[in-house]
Amino acid sequence: SGKMLSNISSVLRACAQRNGAAAVISARTYADFTTQATFEIKKCDVHKLDEGPATQVVMTRDEGLQYYRTMQLMRRMELKADQLYKQKIIRGFCHLYDGQEACAVGIEAAINQTDHLITAYRAHGYTYTRGGTVKEIMAELTGRRGGIAKGKGGSMHMYCKNFYGGNGIVGAQVPLGAGVALACKYQGNNELCVCLYGDGAANQGQIFETYNMAALWKLPVIFICENNRYGMGTSVERAAASTDYYKRGEFIPGLRLDGMDVLCVREASRFAADHCRSGKGPILMELQTYRYHGHSMSDPGVSYRTREEIQEVRSKSDPISLLKDRMLSNNMASVEELKDIDVEVRKQIEDAAQFATTDPEPPLEELCNHIFHNNPPLEVRGTHPWSKLKSIS
């Protein structure tokens, strides 16, 4: 039977190698897994820096599994949102994050939950990594009471502790983020603020005003341009006279890196966080990433780029596949184990969607609540003199 077993294992091994997963054997116990491995990552392009982040990085098996689960969860959540939108259960603005998962997961792996983060309106992923639950996010998308903003914010306006949203005005979150960083500096608590915007917002005047103040006051802020190449539907080459977004801080040091590789993002974010915490002031990062969906749900996303291009990015640089291949080829996980995670994630998303479609909508009398924090109830003027609305904090 020993010989028989070794035959079976070699057959399995051959199958596994054919499937691109190096030598994964179903009967393997957890003890056999590599607990950590060193990976070679792409070098960052740097601006005004003597040296960039390391190109050799260590990832543990537990970290890998955690990143995999979080990215898979974001991906499935966005695909479910797409489905509910097409069924007209989610309405209005809806900007999906699928394709960009490595950005959020890499950044969060490098900062603390006590640090601060503010982003534009493609915010579902960050709401989750900052501490929101899938249920709360899905219910917010459908405008129900159990939503993270009690159903009043919708897709673009979700918040939780140390997360200042979801902001609907292009570029407006950048000065707000610098304000949060000013508070960090003022309070002297060694915290920092991550301030995200897209390649479309990068041409906004208020961003340059913010760079100036942040540099003058040496604010602990990481400005991050998530460059997903097409703004609202115009390629970066047609929208920006200089597409070197990481150099546009001029007097602020910058990094440009592969935003599809979670380890690249993590390493660069650690480097940037150390820069801020050591009192050197702001730093800029440009993450080269890609969105699989259109700009929003009302953009089919194929008039300014080809379907083939999207397909190619999916097949060659998908952030989830990239991490999965790394883990399998370094014997850090088994195919079955990752499949189990996928199944769990799917169930979690299904449960959340179930909740988001059955939870009641908020009643009209709650419309004006929470205008002020810790305030006695006040009357709110409606659209006509006889509408009596009340706000309870």
Side-chain angles (χ1 to χ4, degrees):
S1 71
K3 187 157 195 263
M4 176 81 178
L5 273 174
S6 71
N7 278 345
I8 290 173
S9 94
S10 61
V11 167
L12 277 171
R13 194 173 284 128
C15 289
Q17 270 158 348
R18 269 209 303 281
N19 296 335
V24 179
I25 302 158
S26 355
R28 182 174 321 117
T29 59
Y30 287 123
D32 296 336
F33 289 123
T34 311
T35 51
Q36 64 170 55
T38 305
F39 298 90
E40 184 74 39
I41 55 171
K42 286 188 199 130
K43 202 169 182 295
C44 290
D45 298 319
V46 297
H47 168 67
K48 276 191 67 102
L49 286 166
D50 298 328
E51 54 171 354
T55 52
Q56 294 265 328
V57 298
V58 174
M59 177 177 75
T60 67
R61 169 178 143 82
D62 291 344
E63 285 168 346
L65 290 172
Q66 187 202 331
Y67 304 159
Y68 180 81
R69 175 184 294 270
T70 309
M71 290 204 281
Q72 198 61 278
L73 203 122
M74 283 183 190
R75 173 75 49 95
R76 292 270 148 225
M77 181 167 74
E78 297 300 54
L79 295 177
K80 180 50 82 178
D82 171 272
Q83 211 182 345
L84 294 175
Y85 198 95
K86 286 170 177 157
Q87 294 168 4
K88 294 194 164 65
I89 294 169
I90 295 173
R91 292 169 176 265
F93 290 105
C94 188
H95 307 80
L96 302 182
Y97 200 66
D98 51 327
Q100 300 180 212
E101 295 90 352
C103 298
V105 175
I107 292 165
E108 288 284 12
I111 62 171
N112 309 321
Q113 281 286 307
T114 48
D115 288 317
H116 308 265
L117 190 141
I118 187 167
T119 185
Y121 40 78
R122 199 178 298 281
H124 309 161
Y126 288 103
T127 311
Y128 177 72
T129 59
R130 288 271 92 188
T133 65
V134 186
K135 257 187 173 150
E136 290 173 319
I137 296 166
M138 298 297 295
E140 192 54 50
L141 289 172
T142 56
R144 309 303 172 99
R145 281 178 102 157
I148 199 158
K150 301 198 177 357
K152 297 189 214 172
S155 166
M156 306 198 292
H157 305 289
M158 304 189 190
Y159 312 89
C160 47
K161 192 166 169 51
N162 300 336
F163 174 58
Y164 306 84
N167 291 271
I169 297 172
V170 173
Q173 70 278 11
V174 180
L176 295 180
V180 173
L182 176 61
C184 294
K185 183 163 187 171
Y186 188 75
Q187 292 171 344
N189 51 21
N190 206 23
E191 289 167 7
L192 56 82
C193 183
V194 173
C195 195
L196 295 126
Y197 55 96
D199 52 286
N203 299 313
Q204 281 269 327
Q206 53 187 331
I207 288 182
F208 295 89
E209 295 175 47
T210 306
Y211 288 166
N212 188 49
M213 283 173 157
L216 283 172
W217 298 340
K218 283 200 157 49
L219 300 182
V221 57
I222 308 175
F223 295 114
I224 301 185
C225 177
E226 288 185 293
N227 177 2
N228 58 18
R229 294 200 34 82
Y230 290 101
M232 287 180 66
T234 307
S235 69
V236 286
E237 294 79 18
R238 293 178 58 219
S242 159
T243 55
D244 290 339
Y245 296 103
Y246 72 114
K247 289 182 178 169
R248 285 173 133 204
E250 199 184 336
F251 37 75
I252 298 176
L255 302 165
R256 178 171 60 190
L257 55 128
D258 179 2
M260 302 301 266
D261 177 354
V262 70
L263 294 182
C264 253
V265 179
R266 184 187 75 175
E267 198 52 37
S269 302
R270 274 182 187 160
F271 179 92
D274 291 344
H275 176 98
C276 283
R277 291 197 217 276
S278 63
K280 292 180 191 157
I283 188 165
L284 226 148
M285 285 167 60
E286 175 189 342
L287 310 183
Q288 294 180 306
T289 183
Y290 200 83
R291 55 172 166 77
Y292 295 156
H293 266 87
H295 170 69
S296 73
M297 286 302 293
S298 52
D299 164 27
V302 288
S303 57
Y304 47 85
R305 57 179 185 177
T306 60
R307 282 197 165 85
E308 290 72 50
E309 179 183 294
I310 305 168
Q311 232 9 77
E312 188 178 8
V313 176
R314 264 184 199 277
S315 60
K316 290 194 178 146
S317 14
D318 182 76
I320 300 177
S321 311
L322 203 76
L323 176 67
K324 184 179 180 176
D325 293 347
R326 267 184 180 146
M327 290 190 73
L328 293 175
S329 58
N330 282 275
N331 186 25
M332 294 174 91
S334 70
V335 174
E336 292 77 31
E337 189 180 12
L338 297 180
K339 277 214 179 87
D340 289 345
I341 293 178
D342 297 349
V343 171
E344 276 170 48
V345 162
R346 276 211 179 116
K347 178 165 175 14
Q348 205 179 334
I349 301 295
E350 281 311 321
D351 292 349
Q354 183 57 34
F355 173 72
T357 48
T358 53
D359 195 47
E361 294 188 353
L364 192 60
E365 48 272 20
E366 283 181 19
L367 179 67
C368 298
N369 287 358
H370 314 109
I371 293 177
F372 295 108
H373 174 60
N374 270 347
N375 217 56
L378 73 147
E379 296 250 305
V380 177
R381 203 170 58 184
T383 49
H384 43 70
W386 57 91
S387 75
K388 286 274 183 275
L389 298 164
K390 223 185 187 65
S391 178
I392 302 164
S393 56

